[in-house]
Amino acid sequence: MKTEYFDKYVDDVCRIFRINKRTLFSKTKKHHASRARQFLIYLCSLRKIPNVYIQTLLSEEGYDVGHSTIIYSIKNVRERVKADKDYDKIINSVLNMPTTNDLA
């Protein structure tokens, strides 16, 4: 079930940030790609996906990160949400979109 949410969030993040999956899971530290990855991690944390499972899901996509990166990403996006209400709107719209299982 958590994998389905992760996959949905990957698609949503790619659409929102206008990048492809390859860029999202690349090793690049370019601002646009790193923000998108942080956003993905934050969405997963809001869905209560455990950090270790987020690491596993990212690793399965070819992007290996440590626990500290997961924590940093969550903190970073949380601060951005407080400073920019548009982030909050985007997050809520993604979280409120149904998944395939919700429609069945």
Side-chain angles (χ1 to χ4, degrees):
M1 181 71 166
K2 300 295 185 186
T3 304
E4 182 180 333
Y5 283 107
F6 179 81
D7 292 341
K8 176 195 173 304
Y9 294 157
V10 167
D11 292 342
D12 292 341
V13 167
C14 287
R15 181 181 43 79
I16 291 165
F17 285 86
R18 295 188 175 128
I19 62 174
N20 58 40
K21 281 178 64 172
R22 184 175 171 187
T23 302
L24 181 64
F25 296 116
S26 71
K27 303 286 186 212
T28 184
K29 297 202 183 241
K30 289 187 178 178
H31 188 72
H32 196 64
S34 63
R35 278 216 168 173
R37 282 191 298 269
Q38 290 174 352
F39 196 79
L40 172 63
I41 292 167
Y42 183 73
L43 287 169
C44 291
S45 75
L46 291 178
R47 180 56 66 183
K48 305 292 187 212
I49 299 174
N51 292 350
V52 70
Y53 196 55
I54 295 170
Q55 283 178 272
T56 301
L57 293 168
L58 291 170
S59 180
E60 288 174 359
E61 294 291 340
Y63 189 74
D64 295 316
V65 295
H67 183 74
S68 59
T69 301
I70 302 291
I71 300 300
Y72 174 80
S73 296
I74 294 167
K75 179 183 173 200
N76 192 309
V77 176
R78 188 178 295 140
E79 290 173 3
R80 241 181 278 134
V81 167
K82 288 180 187 176
D84 186 348
K85 293 302 174 190
D86 288 337
Y87 265 90
D88 194 41
K89 289 177 186 174
I90 293 168
I91 288 166
N92 285 325
S93 72
V94 170
L95 292 176
N96 291 323
M97 293 173 91
T99 63
T100 307
N101 282 346
D102 293 336
L103 298 174

